[in-house]
Amino acid sequence: MTVILQTTLGGLARAMVQQARLTEGEAESLARLAAAADRSFVDQLIASERMKPQEIASFAAGTFGYPLLDIAAFDLDRMAQDAIDRKLMQTHQVVALLRRGNRLAVALADPTNLRALDEIRFQTGFVVDPVVVEGDKLAALVAKFLETPEATLKALTNEEFNLEFEDENGKNIAIGIDSIEVDDAPVVKFIQKILHDAIAEGASDIHFEPYEKYYRIRYRTDGVLREVAQPPVVVKERIASRIKVISRLDISEKRIPQDGRMKLVLTKNKTIDFRVSTLPTLYGEKIVMRILDPSSVQLGIEALGYEPEQRDALVAAINRPYGMVLVTGPTGSGKTVSLYTCLNLLNKAGVNISTAEDPAEINLPGVNQVNINEKAGLNFAAALKSFLRQDPDIIMVGEIRDLDTAEIAIKAAQTGHLVLSTVHTNDAPSTLSRMLNMGLAAFNIASSVILITAQRLARRLCNCKTPLSIPMEALIQAGFSEEDSDGQWQLYGPGGCERCKGSGYKGRVGIYQVMPISEEIGRIIMTGGNAIDIADQARREGIKDLRQSGLLKVKQGVTSLEEVLACTND
């Protein structure tokens, strides 16, 4: 029987029998089952649950005098993955750990697998140093290394997608699964899933970001970036190329930034526009896709979050026959949506509306939209001059950023046109100081600007919001009055549920400071008053600043105090 044991059992099985960890019958049975299933003795032993992977590894290392390593704690980036052929890795369940000079440390579960060690020596020409690891962890690692990028993308997609894309002229762009090479099908399906999920989640931007060791994709939802996928880093160029194809960008140009657009057809009556921007980075092209949903401006001014008196003041201003209405706030504060909502209210058959934008984000039928092209000499000032020769009633300028544009906009507002525009300042009073600093005459500002609205976007509390109890002192310090801190209303904070993905917030709401330019404010401008003087007068006239408007949203249970303090902390 001893002879049979020596010829049918490998070194590890034989050692286990000799040290009474297994009987001869158990060892032989496991060996036969392993051979029939084309798996190693260690894998069969783990599957039988007679010994745990840790026990097997500890026994093998101690018996044969090899080092024992927890491969889960090993830095994968340090592994010499390319030292061993993929077929050899799969056949013998081995992984190269480290290479030093002519020596190669190799991880395996059975250090008595002499055939595997001999084949590695022959293939690499290195001196092989075996390292014992747990069989289940090794199998998972080998499977990860052998997994192809296509298989990974297929696992990430897990659904069939075949979306339709159009260019700016409405012509179909064929990038469906049937129109591409087989090798690129997983990439296209993956991109389609990312776009589909971003729209379903209500994301405003999608970031494709290449780094040295990994590639990640993030959505910006409710103003916050969240990682949603990490596809294999080797597919970064294929993903970039496919996005550039559907955005009508030059796929051969990778050294300079490019801007493009694409349109995703969801139904016959609904399309979503994407503004695409590429940027060369150290490890590839970063791509950001801004999702532009035309339906967002169809919601109406009531959905934006204006308080009744603020809404009435804004509507009254935009229905004036001439003058200038300015919207101010940082990037991403919703200025564009506010302007488009106003334009949507004004867009009637008897009105001629022209806009100059950089670029036009949302297409509005009935509005003459012009994209700024600085290289061709078409800047905001040049577009404005041309508009004045086009018999306009309403002009929208994407941004007033220099004296030339400001002077022409003021002239238009003074000569019978309604002008809407944005300026980058912190609040409404400082907008007037900014215009003075540009070099505009105080008289022209006071006589043309009729209303300024400053805004921020705060995350809206989800339905899972939870009641909070905050001391009166903290409420007063935040800006509430003693009357507001009487405990007659309930303060809420974020909860966490599946609908909001645990964040406690779902959607966003605007916080506004709407400041009509009264005679007294105009007098302060004319007499050289500064932003502080204007803010004091606005306060005397009952105009809420951004903090007060935000605190009112807190009192209404729409958002949290923490969120308001964060977005109005100027």
Side-chain angles (χ1 to χ4, degrees), residues 332-403:
S333 60
K335 299 188 300 296
T336 301
V337 172
S338 294
L339 284 176
Y340 275 87
T341 301
C342 292
L343 290 178
N344 202 46
L345 291 174
L346 299 169
N347 188 12
K348 300 173 183 176
V351 178
N352 179 20
I353 304 176
S354 296
T355 73
E357 304 168 71
D358 187 21
E361 294 191 357
I362 298 174
N363 295 330
L364 282 179
V367 175
N368 306 293
Q369 296 173 274
V370 174
N371 271 333
I372 295 304
N373 187 343
E374 296 280 358
K375 292 182 179 178
L378 181 58
N379 54 25
F380 284 117
L384 271 173
K385 288 178 181 177
S386 180
F387 288 168
L388 293 176
R389 296 190 292 270
Q390 291 275 319
D391 186 30
D393 296 298
I394 300 167
I395 295 172
M396 193 271 272
V397 185
E399 181 185 353
I400 293 178
R401 59 175 69 148
D402 56 56
L403 178 60

Side-chain angles (χ1 to χ4, degrees), residues 419-434:
V419 179
L420 310 179
S421 189
T422 69
V423 181
H424 280 280
T425 54
N426 289 329
D427 57 12
S430 60
T431 302
L432 297 169
S433 297
R434 168 87 173 110

